[in-house]
Amino acid sequence: MKEQENKIEKALSLYDYSMSDETVRETVKKIIAEHVHENDTPEVKKFLMGSVELTTLKTTDSEESVMVFTERVNQFDDTYPDIPHVATICVYPNFAKTVADTLEVEGVEIACVSGSFPSSQTFTEIKIAETALAIKDGATEIDMVLPVGKFLSGNYEDVADEIAEMKAVCGEHPLKVILETGCLKTALNIKKAAILAMYAGADYIKTSTGKLEPAATPEAAFVMCQAIKEYDDQTGIQIGFKPAGGLNSVMDALIYYTIVKEVLGPKWLTNQWFRMGTSRLANLLLSEIVGEETKFF
């Protein structure tokens, strides 16, 4: 137990935590002012369309509504053959089979939020069982929430163990760890949580569930991208990034794209390594790409 604790402390100690919240704010403001305009192009908007994780996580979701939701993705491919289709459909675990049975478009992943989303407050055994069932039913990616209470209590060992156990269940399927950055509040906490999640086995780190405010922010995204860059430098392991929650405009999407481009560089500008979790942004991007208001999804 002590040995595991020491390993985690040693792994965390390799990274720089000196950035202040004020420095992060000023740096992000500068990046946005100097670089967002150059990415406001039709090509970037098409790329962003192909990075969308089209998401439905409503209390009112049903097999019928999820089937209709998935059919729209099927129809999109025929209606807009020159525009990239979404990267992923993201649903609750009990709808993995519905999506798998309905989806006809190659290259669209099926992501499930698993492990007592959005609070992460249940027994680890329940989280593992839910994840295993989702994968059995057709999920190709899993999004879990970092056990934030344990993290804020300084119980890094249990946090790392839980992520590692979830990754073991996922096997070759990518695991995204949602940091719920609005609860972490400071750049220091966000950086430390990001490093811990990656160390424990995350294939992607994700800002937020979208169920709490504040959700994704450019400042949290910047800190997470800095963590991904340092982790890649230290280990040679590339980790994906996913902002989610509060992506309400095309400008929001352009800001996150710009942060990824400026901090991580072109290697991350593919729909494998950069995703955006949203339900409303797809129509807004599509409207700008085709030049008229369009409510396809």
Side-chain angles (χ1 to χ4, degrees):
M1 193 76 92
K2 193 72 182 164
E3 189 184 338
Q4 162 78 337
E5 246 179 87
N6 290 340
K7 273 177 68 180
I8 291 169
E9 282 172 20
K10 188 178 175 188
L12 289 174
S13 73
L14 298 171
Y15 299 89
D16 176 18
Y17 303 102
S18 61
M19 63 175 75
S20 71
D21 295 338
E22 181 58 32
T23 303
V24 169
R25 273 193 297 274
E26 289 306 312
T27 306
V28 169
K29 195 189 290 185
K30 190 168 186 287
I31 288 171
I32 290 170
E34 292 180 2
H35 297 289
V36 167
H37 66 280
E38 68 201 36
N39 298 317
D40 189 358
T41 67
E43 293 73 31
V44 169
K45 287 168 192 171
K46 282 187 178 183
F47 165 79
L48 290 168
M49 190 77 197
S51 292
V52 164
E53 297 207 349
L54 198 66
T55 303
T56 182
L57 298 171
K58 299 197 291 284
T59 303
T60 52
D61 286 342
S62 64
E63 280 191 23
E64 291 74 22
S65 71
V66 170
M67 199 180 297
V68 169
F69 189 74
T70 307
E71 281 289 9
R72 295 305 282 163
V73 175
N74 293 339
Q75 292 156 11
F76 182 89
D77 224 29
D78 294 330
T79 311
Y80 298 102
D82 299 328
I83 300 174
H85 57 65
V86 297
T88 313
I89 295 173
C90 183
V91 293
Y92 281 112
N94 49 311
F95 297 118
K97 189 172 189 312
T98 304
V99 178
D101 288 348
T102 310
L103 185 62
E104 295 166 2
V105 183
E106 280 188 34
V108 176
E109 302 294 340
I110 302 169
C112 285
V113 292
S114 186
S116 193
F117 179 92
S119 70
S120 193
Q121 297 288 17
T122 191
F123 303 101
T124 302
E125 294 85 350
I126 300 292
K127 297 181 182 185
I128 287 167
E130 184 178 37
T131 302
L133 287 166
I135 289 169
K136 180 180 75 68
D137 278 355
T140 60
E141 299 181 350
I142 294 294
D143 292 29
M144 70 169 282
V145 181
L146 182 96
V148 176
K150 288 178 180 176
F151 175 83
L152 292 174
S153 301
N155 191 350
Y156 300 157
E157 189 183 354
D158 280 1
V159 173
D161 283 348
E162 189 169 288
I163 293 169
E165 286 186 60
M166 289 285 275
K167 179 56 189 169
V169 180
C170 291
E172 64 186 20
H173 300 292
L175 174 67
K176 306 188 200 95
V177 177
I178 304 165
L179 304 186
E180 201 65 289
T181 52
C183 294
L184 300 179
K185 298 191 187 313
T186 67
L188 173 62
N189 277 342
I190 293 167
K191 180 78 170 279
K192 202 170 272 191
I195 298 294
L196 186 59
M198 293 186 286
Y199 165 80
D203 298 293
Y204 292 76
I205 51 174
K206 174 177 167 183
T207 54
S208 34
T209 61
K211 301 296 185 185
L212 294 175
E213 293 295 334
T217 65
E219 291 76 17
F222 175 80
V223 174
M224 289 168 69
C225 287
Q226 285 281 15
I228 290 170
K229 186 178 192 318
E230 285 181 42
Y231 190 79
D232 184 53
D233 290 344
Q234 283 280 355
T235 66
I237 299 169
Q238 187 170 2
I239 302 292
F241 173 63
K242 178 181 171 183
L247 276 69
N248 296 321
S249 69
V250 172
M251 182 51 67
D252 289 339
L254 290 171
I255 286 169
Y256 289 113
Y257 174 92
T258 301
I259 290 168
V260 170
K261 184 180 174 185
E262 293 304 313
V263 178
L264 291 170
K267 193 170 139 188
W268 269 265
L269 294 177
T270 76
N271 77 349
Q272 180 184 354
W273 298 109
F274 175 54
R275 301 278 184 77
M276 299 183 299
T278 180
S279 49
R280 54 179 77 87
L281 186 59
N283 283 328
L284 298 173
L285 279 167
L286 183 59
S287 297
E288 292 221 2
I289 292 165
V290 300
E292 61 182 12
E293 189 179 357
T294 307
K295 292 184 178 172
F296 188 89
F297 294 104

